[in-house]
Amino acid sequence: VKLVRQDLHEREVLLHIAPHLVNQLAFTIPLLRSKPLYRVTLPLGLLLYDILALGKSLPSRKHLSRERTLDMEPALADVRELVGSYLYYDCQALNMERLCLENAVSAAEKGACVLNHTEATGFIIENGEVKGIHLRNNINNQKYSASGRLVLNAGGPWASLVLKKLASYQESQLRLTKGIHILTRKLANHALVLFAKSDGRLFFVVPWNKWSLIGTTDTHFSESPDNVYAGKEDVDYLVTEARRYFPEFKQEDIYYATAGLRPLVDSKEKAESKVSRAHRLIDHEKQDQLKGLISIIGGKITAYRAIAEEAVDLVCKKLKLKSVCQIAQTPLPGAPALSQEELAKIVNEKKLPAQTVSHLANIYGSRIYSVLKYADEDQKMARSLSPEYPDIRAQVKHAVLEEETLTINDFLFRRTPLGLGDTQGKAAVEEIANEMALLLNWSIAEKQKQIHDYEKAVLLSQAFRKKDL
């Protein structure tokens, strides 16, 4: 209950500080004739959900008849046991990578030194106290060090690997579980909450731009976080369960798959789905008699801001600093979202297609003006990267000069959603490579390496199609 309340509160915070990235989304939960007990318990659960979210800005739950359910989701007509559904509301961040990036941009604007493609290779320890970290730039292999009064390990799935660089490291409390998603042709009009027949787990079919995103799985993972990918068994599980609701769906309808890791606090539960998603702060001075180091273990993306606030409060306490956290009231770069009138004005003034302007606003919010200034300076920057996409060349220049973009993969997968669509940005790769080569002074060999690295990433997203993996 505590975790749900925190997430619901933080959802409201995100709607306030990042309205250009976080949007309301309706979820439909089908009711089946073969599950009478569930038809009784579900409305009670949704009532509790609404009570825990008191003060929310989203609508409350609704019960829908079978006819109304099929009006909204005609693709469920093949589910003969369908007797109705419940509708509830949550939120979606279409461009989660942008949410992560804008926190880094916001920190930099407030004086933080943000390093990209830089690895922490070890700790600086003097007299039993952490005094800083050793670093390596993985682009040019330059090595250097950074000193500090305290080091905060927010390594997520890599947190244990960070701690293994300590001689005094004890067994980690971290447990990794893998979750995958598959991007498919559009299956449903709205988000659906479905149940897997094989094991009873929840999974989701969620609209993502013009497609559907299906996920997720929850399996133990013991390898290096660098080696995670969606395997054939993972994808087969989702395909099998989705076909119970969409009989026409098949593996050929999948464009690609992604895999991620949940860094959970290890509670020694055997079943992955029963491991708590709550986080834990470790003060290594108390646990390991090692001053100057704090680790964050576990946590969910929804509550990232609250976890960060708690961690920095602990830092301030240990450094005997007094400060009031303001980030729950401070909009992220790109907020607020642009109005339809503002978008129409940009279309008229910049002579850009309305589709392009709307697309850019969904990525950058009010920072669209920072992108379009490059098109004002050079009309060539207003040209499309490819006739297949609404993205323009100015985005590449903006990404390199203002968002620390150093690789093609940075741009395609972590600065824009261009590489996350059905074609994964293939039609624009050459144009992006040419533009970045000019901005970053790449040699011909470096440009080809960058393209090759992109192709490897695409192949990895297709690994599930290979029977030997």
Side-chain angles (χ1 to χ4, degrees):
V1 170
K2 181 180 178 181
L3 186 63
V4 173
R5 287 192 65 177
Q6 181 186 56
D7 284 352
L8 292 175
H9 175 265
E10 290 303 308
R11 182 183 69 184
E12 289 296 318
V13 171
L14 287 171
L15 283 168
H16 171 69
I17 67 174
H20 57 304
L21 294 175
V22 180
N23 304 292
Q24 173 182 306
L25 185 65
F27 285 78
T28 301
I29 311 178
L31 297 173
L32 304 181
R33 186 176 291 107
S34 60
K35 296 186 179 294
L37 179 62
Y38 184 69
R39 283 152 48 197
V40 174
T41 58
L42 178 61
L44 296 176
L46 291 174
L47 172 62
L48 177 61
Y49 187 78
D50 279 342
I51 291 173
L52 291 173
L54 285 177
K56 62 184 172 65
S57 60
L58 303 182
S60 295
R61 71 203 181 283
K62 296 178 183 177
H63 176 261
L64 304 179
S65 66
R66 173 182 168 86
E67 292 72 23
R68 180 70 182 117
T69 301
L70 292 178
D71 284 344
M72 293 180 63
E73 292 298 343
L76 293 177
D78 291 323
V79 183
R80 296 179 181 177
E81 294 185 4
L82 184 72
V83 295
S85 67
Y86 269 94
L87 192 71
Y88 79 97
Y89 292 85
D90 208 328
C91 288
Q92 178 184 41
L94 276 173
N95 298 316
M96 185 61 73
E97 292 77 12
R98 293 295 308 180
L99 183 64
C100 178
L101 177 71
E102 288 187 8
N103 277 271
V105 171
S106 178
E109 289 177 349
K110 294 172 175 61
C113 175
V114 180
L115 303 178
N116 194 18
H117 291 280
T118 300
E119 179 182 355
T121 59
F123 291 95
I124 301 171
I125 300 177
E126 298 176 5
N127 300 319
E129 182 173 354
V130 174
K131 293 289 189 177
I133 52 175
H134 296 296
L135 303 165
R136 179 177 64 237
N137 183 315
N138 286 332
I139 297 293
N140 59 22
N141 287 319
Q142 180 181 355
K143 297 179 181 180
Y144 46 100
S145 300
S147 299
R149 295 171 63 191
L150 195 143
V151 172
L152 181 63
N153 171 21
W158 289 267
S160 286
L161 296 183
V162 172
L163 293 175
K164 282 184 178 179
K165 301 178 188 300
L166 292 168
S168 60
Y169 172 77
Q170 296 181 0
E171 188 63 29
S172 169
Q173 292 96 348
L174 188 66
R175 178 174 179 180
L176 299 181
T177 70
K178 180 172 76 168
I180 79 151
H181 287 85
I182 52 179
L183 188 79
T184 75
R185 65 175 174 85
K186 184 179 178 182
L187 296 180
N189 296 325
H190 303 83
L192 297 175
V193 182
L194 306 175
F195 289 89
K197 188 174 182 179
S198 62
D199 57 10
R201 287 191 66 254
L202 285 174
F203 71 100
F204 298 86
V205 177
V206 179
W208 193 82
N209 292 320
K210 300 180 292 184
W211 311 284
S212 287
L213 200 62
I214 304 177
T216 179
T217 57
D218 197 4
T219 55
H220 179 69
F221 189 83
S222 58
E223 300 175 44
S224 166
D226 296 330
N227 298 332
V228 65
Y229 68 90
K232 188 176 186 302
E233 288 185 5
D234 304 314
V235 173
D236 285 348
Y237 168 83
L238 290 178
V239 171
T240 299
E241 298 302 340
R243 290 193 68 188
R244 302 186 196 280
Y245 297 88
F246 307 99
E248 300 300 315
F249 175 62
K250 51 190 179 299
Q251 193 178 95
E252 289 69 29
D253 294 323
I254 302 172
Y255 300 116
Y256 65 84
T258 63
L261 294 172
R262 304 175 187 88
L264 307 177
V265 177
D266 192 357
S267 59
K268 307 305 177 185
E269 286 277 2
K270 291 185 178 180
E272 288 80 7
S273 60
K274 291 185 178 181
V275 182
S276 173
R277 269 53 177 167
H279 69 281
R280 181 185 172 199
L281 294 183
I282 299 176
D283 183 346
H284 291 277
E285 183 175 4
K286 292 181 178 180
Q287 177 177 290
D288 306 309
Q289 291 73 54
L290 182 65
K291 293 183 179 180
L293 180 63
I294 293 172
S295 291
I296 303 174
I297 302 294
K300 294 172 62 181
I301 188 66
T302 309
Y304 85 87
R305 188 215 61 85
I307 296 171
E309 179 177 342
E310 184 182 337
V312 176
D313 282 348
L314 177 58
V315 169
C316 290
K317 180 180 178 181
K318 293 187 71 65
L319 297 181
K320 296 181 171 53
L321 299 173
K322 291 186 178 180
S323 182
V324 178
C325 182
Q326 302 290 333
I327 57 175
Q329 295 81 36
T330 305
L332 288 173
L338 297 183
S339 66
Q340 291 301 313
E341 292 76 14
E342 289 172 305
L343 294 178
K345 184 178 180 181
I346 294 173
V347 170
N348 292 329
E349 290 182 354
K350 307 297 184 182
K351 308 302 180 186
L352 289 169
Q355 180 191 11
T356 295
V357 173
S358 176
H359 175 71
L360 296 179
N362 287 336
I363 298 173
Y364 303 100
S366 60
R367 294 184 80 219
I368 187 175
Y369 297 108
S370 182
V371 175
L372 293 179
K373 72 181 181 184
Y374 296 108
D376 293 338
E377 296 166 0
D378 182 353
Q379 279 300 305
K380 290 186 294 185
M381 290 290 108
R383 293 179 188 169
S384 172
L385 287 171
S386 166
E388 290 190 26
Y389 315 122
D391 300 83
I392 61 176
R393 292 172 67 182
Q395 291 173 255
V396 181
K397 192 167 186 178
H398 173 268
V400 171
L401 298 183
E402 301 190 32
E403 294 182 343
E404 296 292 332
T405 299
L406 298 175
T407 70
I408 289 175
N409 286 350
D410 278 350
F411 180 79
L412 280 166
F413 302 121
R414 296 182 282 274
R415 301 297 185 275
T416 70
L418 183 54
L420 304 177
D422 57 345
T423 65
Q424 295 179 275
K426 292 178 184 177
V429 169
E430 285 289 342
E431 187 69 30
I432 294 166
N434 290 336
E435 193 64 37
M436 291 188 69
L438 289 173
L439 293 164
L440 294 169
N441 296 314
W442 286 346
S443 64
I444 294 175
E446 177 62 26
K447 187 175 84 167
Q448 290 306 311
K449 177 185 177 299
Q450 290 287 329
I451 293 173
H452 179 65
D453 288 346
Y454 158 77
E455 291 170 345
K456 283 200 302 184
V458 170
L459 284 174
L460 187 62
S461 74
Q462 304 290 331
F464 66 92
R465 300 192 191 278
K466 299 181 181 181
K467 296 186 184 299
D468 58 333
L469 286 175

